[in-house]
Amino acid sequence: SLILGTSITISSNHWIMAWAGLEINTLAILPLIAQSHHPRAIEAATKYFLTQAAASALMLFSSMTNAWYTGQWDIAQLTHPTSCLILTSAIAMKLGLVPFHFWFPEVLQGSPLTTGLLLSTIMKFPPMTLFYMTSHSLNPTLLTCMAVSSAALGGWMGLNQTQIRKILAFSSIAHLGWMTIIIAYNPKLTLLNFYLYILMTAATFLTLNTIKATKLSTLMTTWTKAPSLNAMLLLTLLSLAGLPPLTGFIPKWLIIQELTKQNMAPMATMISLLSLLGLFFYLRLAYCTTITLPPHTTNHMKQWHINKPTNTSIAILTTVSTLLLPI
């Protein structure tokens, strides 16, 4: 159902079809969030359902307003300013852009790591497609404001977290800021950023799923489980932060270049400085992963080495998410 809903939305031209695909998507991910029957998981599923239902309703409302004024149900021909405004807020709600970001860390914290991966990658794909298709008619000033505030809040709120899933949620919000700031000027860069973000996030989530780490404190003792995988996780996290020789720097570099071409150098400077906040908590994760040694007390248990060889997909993903730019 997830794949069906996603493919219906990304291949549709009619607003009602896009809406139907998003609804199928929402309903398909709910059992995946709530499968552990833990109260927090149920709460996460409820929060997710309410926000996504509200966002879908807003999207339907914006397309109906547009059809009412222009008689046009085509996605690419969204021209009425009110519907553009409502659609921007609906998509922001779907993706978790500031000021509609509050549900995302909570939901991610309540769901298991694999579902968290689905939520932060595949579930952002359909709204991103709609964003891409309507990007020429949305208001650039509003998008820029939302983007900068997403980068700021994604950085600031991630600083104080100890739960890895919440940190990754805030990193996702910050990355969405980078994607949104450029979408009115060069939508292809948004897509490039999105794909690379999916690669790096998938690598991180799958690695964490292998070593079964959900908190910073457990991350400190996992280096004995799979040392080489941990070393790669360090590089993947730095790549997510966007440090130059690694893959994550490609989209940042191109976006800053494009913004400078559009005479938006102040905005480029601002969003670059705000990504330093994100760099801080990625560094803290990386530090906990590989650089610190756990306390050598007598009652301290070392974890057993994982006997299975590392999953091929993880190997490919970590390699790609660190080495694309050097290659």
Side-chain angles (χ1 to χ4, degrees), residues 75-79 131-140 183-184 187:
I75 292 184
Q77 303 195 21
L78 186 81
T79 46
F131 218 10
Y132 180 77
M133 287 164 78
T134 54
S135 58
H136 52 84
S137 50
L138 302 178
N139 179 357
I183 195 153

Side-chain angles (χ1 to χ4, degrees), residues 235-299:
L235 288 175
T236 313
L237 286 168
L238 293 180
S239 181
L240 259 176
L243 283 183
L246 306 163
T247 305
F249 184 58
I250 305 176
K252 286 192 167 45
W253 182 13
L254 294 173
I255 286 173
I256 290 171
Q257 194 176 345
E258 183 63 32
L259 284 175
T260 320
K261 280 181 194 162
Q262 301 286 349
N263 292 331
M264 289 174 66
M267 281 301 150
T269 314
M270 205 159 151
I271 202 165
S272 313
L273 286 173
L274 287 171
S275 72
L276 288 175
L277 292 166
L279 176 64
F280 179 78
F281 59 76
Y282 289 122
L283 273 176
R284 189 167 59 196
L285 272 173
Y287 197 76
C288 286
T289 316
T290 44
I291 307 172
T292 46
L293 275 176
H296 283 296
T297 47
T298 43
N299 58 4

Side-chain angles (χ1 to χ4, degrees), residues 203 232 236 247 313-324 327:
M232 282 311 283
T236 313
T247 305
S313 57
I314 299 183
I316 294 170
L317 281 169
T318 45
T319 314
V320 169
S321 60
T322 49
L323 290 179
L324 264 186
I327 287 170

Side-chain angles (χ1 to χ4, degrees), residues 211-213 216-233 286-296 300-306:
I211 57 182
K212 298 278 177 286
L216 280 179
S217 54
T218 49
L219 199 59
M220 283 201 180
T221 56
T222 48
W223 64 274
T224 46
K225 279 189 178 180
S228 50
L229 189 59
N230 258 24
M232 282 311 283
L233 179 60
Y287 197 76
C288 286
T289 316
T290 44
I291 307 172
T292 46
L293 275 176
H296 283 296
H300 169 71
M301 290 286 288
K302 286 233 184 334
Q303 308 245 17
W304 284 101
H305 197 295
I306 296 178

Side-chain angles (χ1 to χ4, degrees), residues 36-56:
S36 66
H37 297 302
H38 188 279
R40 182 165 285 177
I42 309 290
E43 182 191 348
T46 315
K47 283 177 179 168
Y48 186 76
F49 172 70
L50 290 172
T51 44
Q52 298 300 318
S56 295

